[in-house]
């Protein structure tokens, strides 16, 4: 069987300005191995898929919060408590 990459689906992560990784132009999932993650339908990121990719990279993701209130998600991110994932808006 031959596999061909058709497209990549970018995912963004929200980090507080003072976070050590915040100034990095790009990150891998492995860079976020020690972070607590936020899952919410508002973000649009497929957290199950990201968790599966994390396992294949050699670590288990830590889901710290799951909910659908956008301001709460951003609040967790601002305090550095957890990192939400987002899909880019057009």
């Amino acid at each position: 069987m031959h596999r061909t990459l058709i497209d990549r689906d970018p995912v963004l992560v929200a980090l507080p300005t003072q976070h050590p990784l915040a100034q990095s132009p790009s990150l891998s999932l492995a860079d976020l191995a020690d972070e607590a993650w936020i899952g919410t339908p508002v973000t649009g990121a497929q957290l199950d898929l990201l968790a599966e990719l994390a396992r294949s990279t050699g670590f288990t993701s830590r889901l710290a919060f799951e909910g659908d209130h956008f301001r709460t998600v951003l609040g967790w991110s601002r305090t550095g408590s957890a990192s939400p994932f987002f899909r880019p808006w057009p």
Side-chain angles (χ1 to χ4, degrees):
M1 177 180 355
H2 177 73
R3 296 185 315 171
T4 302
L5 177 64
I6 295 172
D7 198 5
R8 292 181 186 253
D9 193 10
V11 175
L12 306 176
V13 62
L15 299 169
T17 308
Q18 70 276 16
H19 192 284
L21 297 173
Q23 301 306 315
S24 298
S26 66
L27 300 170
S28 69
L29 276 183
D31 293 329
L32 301 169
D34 295 329
E35 301 295 317
W37 295 6
I38 296 176
T40 172
V42 174
T43 63
Q46 297 178 344
L47 218 41
D48 291 343
L49 177 59
L50 292 173
E52 185 179 324
L53 289 170
R55 281 190 297 277
S56 72
T57 306
F59 70 95
T60 301
S61 61
R62 293 183 302 126
L63 184 62
F65 177 79
E66 191 166 9
D68 60 1
H69 191 265
F70 190 68
R71 291 186 189 270
T72 302
V73 168
L74 289 181
W76 277 67
S77 178
R78 277 190 207 105
T79 64
S81 301
S83 302
F85 291 89
F86 297 90
R87 298 190 74 193
W89 288 284

